[in-house]
Amino acid sequence: MHKLLRQYAEEKLREVPQGIELTQDAHCRYFAEFLRQREPNLKGAKQKEALGEMSEESQNVRASWKWAVERYRVEEIGKFLESLYLFYEARGLFREGTEAFGRAVESLEGTSAAGGEAGERHTLVLGRALARQGTFCHRLGLYRQARELLKRSLAIFRNLGAQRDMAFSLTSLGAGAYMVMEYGEAKQLHQEGLQLARAIGDLHEMTKSLNGLGLVAEALGQFVEAKRLFQESLVISKESGNPYAIAQSLSYLGLVALRAPNKTGVDGVS
């Protein structure tokens, strides 16, 4: 839309009582649903297509997310969360992701949760925003802050019995423990996350946990075990059709092949 035409439209809209508010609300609801519908594709074979669609609408997505956060639209924030996280993750926009979910956390913490189902939903969305803010803090090397945020999210999910979300936080905590070479803790966290992911059939979280366990095994010199874990992750990634996950599993298998001793059968990679 031409800039002058946009200005004219905004001026006419302001002549309507509550025109801006009603229009922005409708815009926000539309793009919240737009992102929610693309979540399955972002984790599957149509990932590239979904990322392209989100990139084309990035200005609308950012504007509607900002509106949802500023107006405490819990329902819309909940619809945005996962797809927006996956978009930032795939595009490497870790700092923007940290800031975006940080603002959501502030917004949700600044509003009082109602009782009953609405209150539970509010708490769940807050936990999800904390988990994603923590994950992006980890990507930026802010390990202490990431750990605190992820532990808060995990406590919320345990209290609510939200298994899929528990698996997400456990895997992210495991990745953080691995980065600071706390391999025993990392293994325990990834194993618990994997158990939950298997129980609910979440392929996306299963591959993340398996890769996390594989990295721990590789760091400990357990190359045969690392290869087995990465191969299982690759099989699941191919089942889901997620190209990002497939590439990641292949990359880790390459890492094992590079670092393992030139032996087979005992501690090498055949």
Side-chain angles (χ1 to χ4, degrees), residues 150-184:
L150 287 162
K151 281 196 166 185
R152 285 179 60 195
S153 71
L154 184 58
I156 289 173
F157 299 145
R158 287 195 192 281
N159 186 53
L160 295 174
Q163 290 184 304
R164 179 170 281 103
D165 295 295
M166 286 168 60
F168 181 98
S169 292
L170 286 163
T171 301
S172 293
L173 280 166
Y178 166 82
M179 291 302 295
V180 295
M181 294 185 290
E182 295 176 356
Y183 299 132

Side-chain angles (χ1 to χ4, degrees), residues 93-144:
L93 301 172
F94 304 145
R95 188 168 301 280
E96 183 177 346
T98 302
E99 294 170 354
F101 288 108
R103 288 193 296 270
V105 168
E106 291 177 5
S107 174
L108 293 164
E109 287 183 328
T111 55
S112 57
E117 187 176 336
E120 192 170 290
R121 174 65 177 168
H122 182 283
T123 304
L124 179 62
V125 172
L126 171 60
R128 288 174 174 169
L130 283 165
R132 283 146 186 83
Q133 182 190 8
T135 300
F136 283 128
C137 282
H138 165 243
R139 295 288 190 273
L140 295 174
L142 305 172
Y143 300 126
R144 181 176 298 179

Side-chain angles (χ1 to χ4, degrees), residues 10 47 91 106 164 237 253 260:
E10 287 179 355
Q47 184 182 76
R91 294 294 192 235
E106 291 177 5
R164 179 170 281 103
S237 298
L253 281 167

Side-chain angles (χ1 to χ4, degrees), residues 200-247:
I200 59 177
D202 189 326
L203 301 181
H204 187 68
E205 292 301 327
M206 285 167 63
T207 59
K208 288 165 58 181
S209 296
L210 286 164
N211 284 334
L213 288 167
L215 287 171
V216 171
E218 186 276 332
L220 297 173
Q222 300 165 355
F223 299 111
V224 171
E225 176 66 4
K227 181 182 178 183
R228 183 191 68 80
L229 290 162
F230 292 143
Q231 284 178 329
E232 184 179 352
S233 172
L234 179 60
V235 170
I236 295 171
S237 298
K238 288 181 176 179
E239 182 181 344
S240 69
N242 185 332
Y244 182 87
I246 292 169

